[in-house]
Amino acid sequence: MKIVTTLYRQVEHLVHEVAKFGLVGLLGLIVDLPIYNWLVFDNPLVFGDAGEGMLHHKPVTAKFISVTAATIATYLGNRHWTWRHRERTGLHREYVLFFVLNGVGLLIASACLAFSRYVLDLHTALADNIAANFVGLGLGTLFRFWSYRKWVFREEIALDEVEKEIPFSDEKLQQLTEDTGDLPAVR
């Protein structure tokens, strides 16, 4: 059991980042999905009969619009929650990189949608949502998580800054580690 605890402590921060990133991504999906379906099928809830929205014959354009709206929401969630513990390198730099890398993720989802629409000749709401919001979004999400960690929200706050937040002295920390044999979790 101690091996499992040790392994978990080594990846604990990554597990928390993945969980938070997933929840922020869910928020983005909640913004993206109704806008896309309203623009293409005039039906934001994807229930019932699908009609023809104002961009019915331009689904990739509709996807660009819906993802742009979702990107604004996900930037705020990721900057202020998922990676709030990472150093801030300037709003302009982060925002531009975030949008560029989100654009690459959008291209991945749009390529899946275009393949479904124009190669496989599938034009239903279900086919569009599976191609763009399941396959495309899944692949794009993997790319986004990796790229945001690598280039947008790069550095974690230095250990000496975190140590300033620990409310007890080195002697108290030594006593705690001697008592349990484990280091306390720093959050």
Side-chain angles (χ1 to χ4, degrees):
M1 192 65 172
K2 188 153 177 110
I3 290 175
V4 173
T5 305
T6 303
L7 286 174
Y8 178 74
R9 284 192 178 151
Q10 291 177 351
V11 295
E12 179 178 20
H13 70 284
L14 183 61
V15 170
H16 289 183
E17 282 183 354
V18 168
K20 289 177 181 181
F21 183 79
L23 288 173
V24 169
L26 186 60
L27 168 68
L29 185 63
I30 290 170
V31 171
D32 178 5
L33 212 64
I35 293 172
Y36 174 79
N37 284 289
W38 174 68
L39 290 171
V40 177
F41 301 107
D42 198 25
N43 186 353
L45 299 177
V46 196
F47 296 118
D49 293 333
E52 288 192 11
M54 64 182 89
L55 293 175
H56 184 74
H57 298 291
K58 295 184 178 190
V60 176
T61 302
K63 192 66 182 162
F64 273 89
I65 293 168
S66 66
V67 167
T68 300
T71 297
I72 294 166
T74 57
Y75 173 78
L76 294 171
N78 281 317
R79 169 70 281 175
H80 298 290
W81 190 47
T82 306
W83 286 298
R84 71 174 179 231
H85 63 285
R86 291 181 174 253
E87 189 175 327
R88 294 178 187 256
T89 58
L91 179 63
H92 179 70
R93 180 195 161 282
E94 281 181 2
Y95 206 65
V96 168
L97 273 174
F98 189 87
F99 264 87
V100 167
L101 295 172
N102 215 45
V104 173
L106 170 61
L107 289 175
I108 293 168
S110 296
C112 293
L113 176 60
F115 182 79
S116 171
R117 270 280 176 131
Y118 305 120
V119 175
L120 300 177
D121 201 31
L122 301 172
H123 296 274
T124 66
L126 181 62
D128 277 8
N129 281 290
I130 289 173
N133 298 317
F134 183 72
V135 176
L137 184 65
L139 295 173
T141 298
L142 293 173
F143 169 78
R144 285 181 186 101
F145 182 77
W146 170 78
S147 64
Y148 294 167
R149 286 188 92 230
K150 183 159 181 69
W151 291 307
V152 181
F153 309 112
R154 294 187 315 196
E155 301 294 325
E156 292 196 32
I157 295 174
L159 184 59
D160 59 341
E161 292 179 33
V162 173
E163 288 174 350
K164 290 177 187 175
E165 297 177 15
I166 297 176
F168 39 78
S169 66
D170 288 338
E171 294 81 29
K172 181 70 174 168
L173 181 62
Q174 180 71 26
Q175 182 184 7
L176 283 173
T177 58
E178 287 174 359
D179 292 345
T180 63
D182 294 326
L183 290 173
V186 177
R187 296 176 193 203

